[in-house]
Amino acid sequence: MSNASQSPLSPLPALDRPEVAARLRDALLGASFTADGLLELLGAPAYAALARSETVPALRATRGDTPLEMLVRLFLLQQPVPHARVANVLPVDACLATGWLKHAGADELAATVDVRPYGGPGGEDWFIVSDLGCAVGGAGGIASRDEGVVLGVGGASTTLAGITVRTPVGAALDLGTGSGIQALHAARHATRVTATDLNPRALHITGLTLALSGAPAADLREGSLFTPVRDDETYDLIVSNPPFVISPGARLTYRDGGMGGDDLCRTLVQEAGERLNEGGFAQFLANWQHVEGEDWQDRLRSWVPRGCDAWIVQREVQDVNQYAELWLRDAGDHEGDAAQYQARYDAWLDEFEARKVKAVGFGWITLRRTGAAVPSLTVEEWPHPVEQPLGDTIRAHFDRLDHLRGHDDAALLEGHFRLAAEVVQEQVGLPGAEDPEHVVLRQNRGMRRATRVDTVGAGFAGVCDGTMSAGRILDAIGQLIGEDPVLLRDRTPAQIRLLVEQGFLDPVR
């Protein structure tokens, strides 16, 4: 890949000089240009303001002469810095020669890319490279001028990184890698990482992100969706934060899929199944249409490829007006010509009207390749707060499904269960009433679910510590409440299955 991008955006640093990236990394770490260092320097309010694309607090906090203040102004705030100050901290000649820095006036230097410190899940100090002005917050309208722009880490990126199942694997695939954040995470637990993108500039920047973070290089391939993947290649993990925005056209490469409606997300999900190894996971963020006269859950069920379990979670729904306004603002269209803004708004609504779309959903899709005769398919709406990271929660969900599939009711009652960590019981009813109207079990970890149970279910869950079989617990409850144990054994397995499936009870294996 050439040192310069093919787009009209500014040239990028060289990829063929890893030793310079290593020297630059050492210098950045030596000056505490890390996520923790930034938080300590800027303080929480200014640090949070950066995520909202507000730079004034950070500029005010970096008016001193320390190396860290200089690096923040240079790489995060895109301020020219005197040559002499940079030379005291960075290997200037090497950075100029390889394109990390450029001259800005007679005696000042400027960065050619954004570099954002990012803390890895194991305490690693990583650096995410992106185009100028795109490391923090949104594109701020930059994308409306340069369709090939590569953004840094946003909320969607961190969401996908948080829900991804992190187990050691042989081969991982990051489709639509962007600035390389998913490939960087995958490099921690995958022997081989392949990263693809339709935008060659994104591939180049991914290479820079990996090099500057001290991670192994990935196999970088240009192309759309699975096109760059050979027919004989399969993976243990596939992740993608695709250009999922449902828009009229493909004006912005980083977000607009270019296919009609939600066809890009559907195609991505449908084609992933045959690319997975047995037991492998494919995890995506996606948008989907809510079409008049069609159940949105049925629409998503039709996407799931044969031979795959699926867990699909809808996190948010917006009506078509809200959705159009969100992405028009993302591109900075609201700050331009009013007539052009109105015309683009009309085009979005025309597109939705033609497709009979009344709203758009956003959420997570997880597939797992399975040899089960009847795969499990869960599609649900869960707009409530969750606790990230959720990778272990998602992996455990599929493990519990395997257990339930392999145990009929008789076997289930012979099994042992343990109440999951930090599950509490709430009793709801009128003050002074002898008995509660209903009992709720609530998780304080993971998905933070709540589910209503009857007194038998609550009593059963409370006794589950792994020592007694489910059947013996029900026998004891039957004696305690004066109910026929045989009837309890007959009617309770369905409730036990639900509590296991939703993560309130864990099978003791």
Side-chain angles (χ1 to χ4, degrees):
M1 192 172 296
S2 65
N3 293 346
S5 164
Q6 299 300 312
S7 84
L9 289 159
S10 62
L12 294 172
L15 267 181
D16 57 359
R17 297 286 301 277
E19 75 282 1
V20 176
R23 291 176 62 193
L24 176 57
R25 171 180 170 78
D26 289 343
L28 296 177
L29 294 177
S32 297
F33 187 64
T34 63
D36 289 342
L38 284 187
L39 183 59
E40 183 176 350
L41 169 67
L42 302 178
Y47 193 68
L50 280 178
R52 302 191 300 269
S53 299
E54 297 292 347
T55 58
V56 171
L59 286 167
R60 292 174 61 85
T62 56
R63 290 180 291 192
D65 292 324
T66 67
L68 179 55
E69 288 170 303
M70 181 274 294
L71 291 174
V72 171
R73 295 178 74 87
L74 182 69
F75 284 114
L76 268 183
L77 304 177
Q78 281 82 63
Q79 300 296 306
V81 176
H83 188 290
R85 288 190 63 196
V86 181
N88 288 333
V89 181
L90 302 180
V92 166
D93 291 341
C95 288
L96 283 169
T98 53
W100 287 97
L101 299 174
K102 63 183 178 181
H103 292 285
D107 59 352
E108 291 186 317
L109 299 177
T112 59
V113 288
D114 265 320
V115 176
R116 173 181 173 175
Y118 180 88
E124 302 90 346
D125 288 314
W126 290 339
F127 299 97
I128 310 301
V129 179
S130 62
D131 272 312
L132 292 172
C134 298
V136 293
I142 289 176
S144 64
R145 298 193 296 272
D146 295 298
E147 66 171 20
V149 72
V150 179
L151 271 61
V153 176
S157 301
T158 55
T159 294
L160 179 59
I163 68 172
T164 300
V165 174
R166 303 293 177 191
T167 55
V169 295
L173 173 64
D174 176 16
L175 283 178
T177 186
S179 58
I181 179 62
Q182 309 306 329
L184 184 56
H185 274 278
R188 294 184 72 246
H189 61 102
T191 303
R192 176 172 58 88
V193 177
T194 301
T196 72
D197 205 289
L198 184 63
N199 181 5
R201 187 175 184 86
L203 295 175
H204 193 116
I205 284 180
T206 291
L208 298 175
T209 290
L210 294 171
L212 195 59
S213 297
D219 181 1
L220 306 176
R221 303 184 191 178
E222 182 180 345
S224 177
L225 299 179
F226 289 98
T227 303
V229 178
R230 296 193 304 270
D231 290 342
D232 61 344
E233 288 182 305
T234 54
Y235 297 87
D236 305 298
L237 174 67
I238 300 172
V239 293
S240 183
N241 176 19
F244 52 66
V245 176
I246 300 171
S247 62
R251 184 161 62 104
L252 306 179
T253 304
Y254 78 91
R255 67 167 209 194
D256 299 328
M259 296 185 183
D262 51 17
D263 283 354
L264 182 136
C265 291
R266 175 185 56 79
T267 301
L268 182 62
V269 173
Q270 289 179 337
E271 293 184 356
E274 63 185 17
R275 300 295 185 178
L276 283 175
N277 293 325
E278 186 74 18
F281 285 91
Q283 298 185 264
F284 315 105
L285 300 186
N287 277 185
W288 43 78
Q289 298 172 150
H290 285 226
V291 180
E292 292 179 15
E294 179 181 342
D295 185 285
W296 69 269
Q297 293 179 322
D298 288 342
R299 182 182 190 84
L300 289 174
R301 289 187 185 98
S302 73
W303 290 10
V304 178
R306 295 180 62 184
C308 287
D309 292 325
W311 184 15
I312 302 174
V313 181
Q314 180 167 271
R315 295 287 291 155
E316 184 180 359
V317 181
Q318 291 186 319
D319 67 50
V320 292
N321 298 329
Q322 293 174 309
Y323 189 81
E325 291 161 12
L326 169 67
W327 294 110
L328 288 167
R329 286 194 301 271
D330 172 81
D333 290 327
H334 63 303
E335 298 175 346
D337 178 72
Q340 185 180 59
Y341 174 80
Q342 182 175 342
R344 284 179 171 162
Y345 200 149
D346 270 331
W348 283 68
L349 297 187
D350 286 344
E351 178 82 4
F352 287 133
E353 185 176 334
R355 295 180 174 275
K356 298 183 179 181
V357 176
K358 58 184 180 180
V360 177
F362 169 82
W364 320 321
I365 297 177
T366 299
L367 306 177
R368 185 189 61 165
R369 190 77 185 176
T370 179
V374 181
S376 169
L377 190 51
T378 301
V379 183
E380 62 176 322
E381 185 165 19
W382 190 254
H384 312 293
V386 299
E387 182 190 46
Q388 285 274 37
L390 278 169
D392 287 346
T393 298
I394 291 174
R395 177 189 51 77
H397 167 85
F398 288 95
D399 288 345
R400 292 193 302 271
L401 288 180
D402 284 344
H403 183 86
L404 292 175
R405 254 193 309 238
H407 292 73
D408 60 17
D409 286 355
L412 197 71
L413 293 176
E414 290 297 317
H416 294 237
F417 299 90
R418 184 177 289 113
L419 187 67
E422 297 194 39
V423 172
V424 297
Q425 176 180 306
E426 301 173 357
Q427 296 187 167
V428 181
L430 292 174
E434 183 175 346
D435 296 311
E437 292 180 19
H438 57 265
V439 178
V440 173
L441 299 182
R442 187 178 302 277
Q443 301 167 349
N444 286 319
R445 305 296 301 270
M447 292 292 288
R448 293 178 172 166
R449 294 187 186 277
T451 190
R452 184 182 297 189
V453 294
D454 60 19
T455 54
V456 171
F460 179 88
V463 176
C464 283
D465 61 2
T467 59
M468 294 176 61
S469 71
R472 288 186 60 197
I473 292 174
L474 290 179
D475 292 343
I477 291 175
Q479 289 183 344
L480 185 65
I481 65 176
E483 187 167 342
D484 186 348
V486 175
L487 294 178
L488 274 185
R489 281 173 171 260
D490 185 56
R491 70 177 175 86
T492 308
Q495 190 169 191
I496 296 174
R497 287 184 182 278
L498 179 65
L499 292 175
V500 172
E501 182 179 341
Q502 294 190 343
F504 291 93
L505 295 177
D506 291 320
V508 177
R509 297 175 175 86

